[in-house]
Amino acid sequence: MCFTTVSMNYDNAACQSVLHRIRTQRPFVYGLTNYVAATLSANVLLAAGAAPAIGAAPGWATGFGGHAGAMWINAAGLINCTAQDMHDAVTAAQGNGVPWVLDPVAMGAGVSQYDAIIRDLASGGPAAIRGNASEVMALAGGGATAKGVETTASITQALPLARELASSRGVIVAISGPEDHILAPDGRHVTVPGGDPMLTMVTGMGCALGGLVAACLAVTPTGPDRLVAVAAAHALYARAAEIAARSAQGTASFATGFVDALSRLQQTAGPGASG
């Protein structure tokens, strides 16, 4: 397989086009995530222009999972919904051609029963898997290296296993870190520079990114463009973080500033423009 690597940031016209489509189409994005991250995830999606619903109220997993524009499942949502809820949502999404994103939070942290549920979910045909280096390595069959929800592995260590995971499962794999890496099954590889270290100091930032990836997939047809959509979500995140960090007095103001920045990105650069 021939590996082709390119870089993308918010100034890329394709990235801004994805955001423009979210703003104009306002896709319905359904998510099962943990209660710690739910509010931030909803606010991130609203700031981007999507219409979110989060949670496993009676009937939502099958009803919303099958009729959303896209869906994301954060494995840590198991603290407030059931594995059956997640399986029902995946089954409904599969049956209706709804693209969905799996975030294997804390995969490889040493809890075998939890890891087994994530592996089962991963067999349900996600369009994309995103996580940190330790989580991706563990899901790909590497050693367990996570420290709770935090990574102890580097992206360099994770990349070979991530490529194998993308190729063997036919899924886009995204690894978040100081520089994000997004890999397609056909060997294409997009790097996304930028962001800010404070992203790692606010609870739920990675979880909310899974929701934004789903929003980008919701407005992107099947096929090669989906790699660009997943990369665009990371590029939007990076730019919003850079803007927020300029005026943040600490992590709390950074979180608020991040949502503000994301909501205002389209005001400074239109689709296809150079920001």
Side-chain angles (χ1 to χ4, degrees), residues 87-113:
H87 286 299
D88 288 348
V90 168
T91 299
Q94 283 182 301
N96 289 275
V98 175
W100 68 280
V101 180
L102 175 63
D103 187 342
V105 176
M107 178 82 181
V111 185
S112 58
Q113 182 180 9

Side-chain angles (χ1 to χ4, degrees), residues 162-176:
R163 287 193 183 100
E164 174 59 28
L165 181 65
S167 175
S168 64
R169 291 186 178 269
V171 63
I172 297 167
V173 176
I175 314 172
S176 298

Side-chain angles (χ1 to χ4, degrees), residues 24-275:
T24 55
Q25 296 179 30
R26 294 193 58 79
F28 171 39
V29 179
Y30 177 52
L32 291 175
T33 190
N34 63 84
Y35 60 78
V36 176
T39 299
L40 179 60
S41 298
N43 285 337
V44 163
L45 284 166
L46 288 167
I54 297 174
W60 284 21
T62 53
F64 290 173
H67 295 94
M71 178 181 77
W72 93 101
I73 290 181
N74 179 309
L78 287 166
I79 66 179
N80 48 252
C81 68
T82 68
Q84 189 61 53
D85 291 328
M86 293 184 173
H87 286 299
D88 288 348
V90 168
T91 299
Q94 283 182 301
N96 289 275
V98 175
W100 68 280
V101 180
L102 175 63
D103 187 342
V105 176
M107 178 82 181
V111 185
S112 58
Q113 182 180 9
Y114 176 77
D115 287 358
I117 293 172
I118 298 176
R119 291 190 189 284
D120 194 28
L121 289 169
S123 68
I129 295 169
R130 70 139 308 274
N132 64 36
S134 289
E135 293 160 351
V136 169
M137 287 177 66
L139 185 55
T145 64
K147 183 179 180 181
V149 299
E150 304 298 331
T151 186
T152 61
S154 69
I155 286 181
T156 299
Q157 292 172 305
L159 277 175
L161 284 168
R163 287 193 183 100
E164 174 59 28
L165 181 65
S167 175
S168 64
R169 291 186 178 269
V171 63
I172 297 167
V173 176
I175 314 172
S176 298
E179 180 180 65
D180 298 334
H181 290 251
I182 300 91
L183 301 100
D186 61 7
R188 289 177 298 148
H189 180 176
V190 180
T191 61
V192 178
D196 190 88
M198 277 193 283
L199 281 170
T200 65
M201 300 170 69
V202 176
T203 297
M205 276 292 184
C207 303
L209 176 56
L212 186 58
V213 170
C216 291
L217 289 173
V219 298
T220 305
T222 58
D225 288 346
R226 283 192 167 168
L227 176 67
V228 172
V230 176
H234 289 75
L236 294 169
Y237 234 64
R239 179 56 60 89
E242 291 163 0
I243 294 171
R246 295 171 192 164
S247 57
Q249 298 180 41
T251 55
S253 58
F254 171 79
T256 301
F258 176 86
V259 176
D260 283 345
L262 184 59
S263 72
R264 292 174 58 84
L265 281 181
Q266 201 71 359
Q267 295 181 26
T268 57
S274 178

